[in-house]
């Protein structure tokens, strides 16, 4: 048996995960990823073993395998490019060296006094010059350093340094009291609080033998509604930000206000504009009375109509479209090789979406929706893909309102129970993936013999996609960087964890 298979929000005992010698481990991973359409969910080290978690859309399941390693092992990256960032992380955080890795530079600088103490690639020649941007940016942008190697206005190479937001969330989850876990997980990437909370909840519940299928249907509907409102608010914000980057201020201003409306709808549902403390061990923190549904539905429809007007102004302007077309292009095959996910991957024709590929989250199996795809892999594809996803999310929210009307409101919601702490299945692995608005959030939990967590691995979609931004800038003029950057809109804190 090459892999052990288990479902989303499921678990498996560690003894049931096949352990291969390293050459066999590398070969089965390469075959699954390069030939069988699987993709990388996570790669991490724990107690002398290297664990690989793959997502298999054909079987709608995770695949897990492991191999024993010492202080070093032959790098997987030369054979499977999608492991590039993961192996750099393992080298930095676990001090295990993947021998033969092409670029073992830190990705978070967690063991350095500060990020940025490093060498950079440089261009030689009298016409070459270097442009450094950040880590401090204008406005409220999170810190990150971008270093461009240029000839004139043309970018030959972009080097991205992150790590300024590193907080050690994974390590804190191992030592913090259980009742603090939800707070910590929601701060992994604050604009994806609902997605992270659902991912952690599914993982922890599996290890505590409390399957999410036993939650009340109404709680599942409300969780799904919160997740889709999170998606809508962020996509609207990104569309407005892209308009702002090409000085199309009409749509930019409209979308800023409209995003605020969708965030305020989330506050009405969850009690917080970013959905904090809404997802609980028993479902959700509180119900939404059916007497509030007509108001929320009317507010939603008025805001959707406003967004359609703002979008049309943007989509009808030839000057805007000219800036976006054929800008920041990354080829579909390259995106597949580096393991890109989410909006960025679908905009390059990669048909991936864990709501469909894995299921078992919310009530998506009871909704009618389609995964949107574009093919060109440029800025305009990423923009239009967001618009396509908004259409599907709007349809789903309308259906969810109808489902709530026909599903009796609960008289009361029980108090949240603390997450499992020392009361989980010993020596087991559980994994949950949730399709957040950027792409899939993956949460892995591994327990020791005492039934407590000994490893938690979080993978943000930005972790897969930052290198795609590097590739999108090659051959571009440096003035197109803000557009390319915003078209991906990756998370600094979600990467740094």
């Amino acid at each position: 048996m090459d892999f052990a298979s288990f479902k989303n929000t499921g678990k498996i005992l560690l003894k049931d995960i096949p352990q291969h010698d390293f050459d066999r481990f590398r070969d089965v991973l390469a075959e699954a990823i390069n030939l069988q359409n699987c993709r990388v969910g996570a790669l991490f080290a724990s107690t002398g073993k290297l664990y690989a978690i793959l997502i298999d859309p054909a079987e709608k399941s995770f695949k897990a395998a492991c191999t024993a390693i010492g202080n070093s092992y032959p790098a997987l990256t030369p054979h499977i490019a999608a492991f590039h960032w993961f192996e750099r992380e393992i080298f930095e955080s676990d001090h295990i060296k993947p021998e033969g890795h092409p670029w073992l530079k830190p990705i978070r600088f967690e063991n350095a006094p500060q990020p940025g103490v490093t060498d950079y690639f440089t261009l030689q020649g009298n016409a070459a010059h270097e442009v450094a941007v950040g880590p401090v940016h204008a406005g409220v942008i999170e810190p990150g350093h971008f270093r461009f190697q240029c000839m004139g206005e043309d970018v030959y190479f972009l080097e991205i340094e992150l790590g300024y937001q590193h907080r050690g969330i994974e390590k804190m989850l191992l030592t913090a009291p259980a009742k603090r876990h939800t707070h910590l997980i929601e701060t992994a990437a604050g604009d994806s609080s609902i997605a992270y909370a659902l991912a952690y909840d599914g993982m922890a519940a599996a290890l505590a033998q409390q399957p999410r299928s036993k939650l009340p249907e109404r709680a599942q509907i409300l969780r799904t509604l919160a997740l889709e409102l999170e998606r809508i608010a962020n996509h609207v914000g990104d569309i407005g930000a892209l308009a702002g980057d090409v000085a199309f201020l009409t749509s930019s201003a409209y979308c800023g206000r409209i995003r605020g409306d969708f965030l305020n709808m989330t506050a009405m549902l969850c009690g917080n504009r970013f959905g904090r403390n809404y997802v609980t061990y028993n479902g959700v923190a509180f119900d939404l009375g059916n007497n509030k549904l007509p108001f929320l539905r009317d507010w939603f429809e008025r805001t959707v109509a406003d967004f359609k007007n703002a979008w049309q102004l943007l989509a009808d302007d030839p000057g805007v479209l000219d800036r976006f077309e054929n800008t920041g292009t990354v080829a579909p095959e390259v995106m597949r090789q580096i393991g890109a996910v989410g909006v960025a991957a679908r905009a390059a024709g990669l048909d991936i979406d864990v709501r469909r590929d894995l299921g078992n989250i919310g009530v998506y199996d009871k909704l009618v929706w389609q995964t949107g795809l574009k093919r060109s892999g440029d800025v305009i594809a990423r923009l239009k893909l967001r618009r396509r996803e908004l259409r599907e999310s709007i349809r789903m929210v309308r259906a969810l309102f109808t489902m709530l009307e026909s599903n009796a409101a609960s008289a009361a919601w029980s108090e949240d129970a603390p997450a499992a702490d020392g009361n989980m299945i010993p020596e087991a692995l559980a994994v949950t993936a949730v399709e957040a608005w950027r792409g899939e959030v993956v949460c892995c939990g591994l327990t020791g013999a005492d039934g407590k967590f000994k490893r938690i691995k979080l993978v943000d979609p930005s972790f897969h996609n930052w290198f795609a931004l590097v590739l999108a800038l090659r051959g571009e003029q440096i003035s197109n960087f803000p557009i390319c950057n915003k078209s991906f809109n990756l998370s600094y804190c979600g990467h740094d964890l």
Side-chain angles (χ1 to χ4, degrees), residues 44 147 205 312 320 343 386 463:
F44 60 92
R147 190 167 292 223
Q312 208 56 53
V320 169
V343 169
R386 283 181 167 82
F463 191 88

Side-chain angles (χ1 to χ4, degrees), residues 92 106 108-118 120 135 161-164:
E92 179 179 11
R108 297 192 182 112
F109 296 88
E110 61 180 281
N111 297 311
Q114 62 181 15
V117 182
T118 183
Y120 300 96
E161 280 193 356
L162 304 171
Y164 299 88

Side-chain angles (χ1 to χ4, degrees), residues 116-187:
V117 182
T118 183
D119 295 327
Y120 300 96
F121 285 114
T122 57
L123 281 176
Q124 302 299 315
N126 293 333
H129 65 101
E130 185 175 86
V131 179
V133 178
V136 179
H137 304 281
V140 294
I141 302 172
E142 292 178 288
H145 180 65
F146 302 85
R147 190 167 292 223
F148 302 83
Q149 303 300 324
C150 302
M151 290 279 192
E153 290 293 306
D154 295 330
V155 178
Y156 279 68
F157 187 74
L158 164 63
E159 198 163 350
I160 300 176
E161 280 193 356
L162 304 171
Y164 299 88
Q165 293 284 74
H166 182 65
R167 295 144 291 152
I169 295 255
E170 292 175 343
K171 294 177 181 177
M172 283 193 286
L173 284 167
L174 299 179
T175 58
K179 59 179 63 178
R180 291 275 295 164
H181 285 192
T182 297
H183 167 74
L184 287 171
I185 204 73
E186 288 176 341
T187 61

Side-chain angles (χ1 to χ4, degrees), residues 1-6 11-20 25 44 49-53 63-67 427-430 446:
M1 182 173 66
D2 292 337
F3 294 97
S5 296
F6 56 102
K11 64 183 182 303
I12 187 168
L13 297 178
L14 296 184
K15 66 181 181 62
D16 294 332
I17 298 176
Q19 179 173 323
H20 304 292
F25 179 73
F44 60 92
K49 293 182 181 179
L50 188 64
Y51 290 89
I53 311 296
K63 287 184 171 182
C66 69
T67 188
E427 298 187 319
L429 169 72
L446 192 148

Side-chain angles (χ1 to χ4, degrees), residues 276-358:
R276 297 287 176 87
N277 302 312
Y278 187 61
V279 175
T280 70
Y281 196 69
N282 291 317
V284 293
F286 46 84
D287 198 357
L288 177 71
N290 278 357
N291 61 327
K292 296 182 180 179
L293 277 177
F295 175 82
L296 185 57
R297 174 177 273 164
D298 179 65
W299 187 9
F300 181 80
E301 293 298 342
R302 285 186 284 109
T303 308
V304 166
D306 287 347
F307 170 72
K308 289 180 179 178
N309 290 334
W311 168 261
Q312 208 56 53
L313 290 170
L314 182 71
D316 287 344
D317 190 281
V320 169
L321 301 182
D322 181 64
R323 288 296 307 277
F324 292 159
E325 290 177 337
N326 301 314
T327 299
T329 303
V330 187
E333 180 57 25
V334 174
M335 293 293 271
R336 189 193 68 79
Q337 288 176 352
I338 66 173
V341 300
V343 169
R346 291 190 286 273
L350 275 63
D351 189 7
I352 59 175
D353 187 326
V354 297
R355 290 174 293 180
R356 178 204 63 203
D357 296 345
L358 292 176

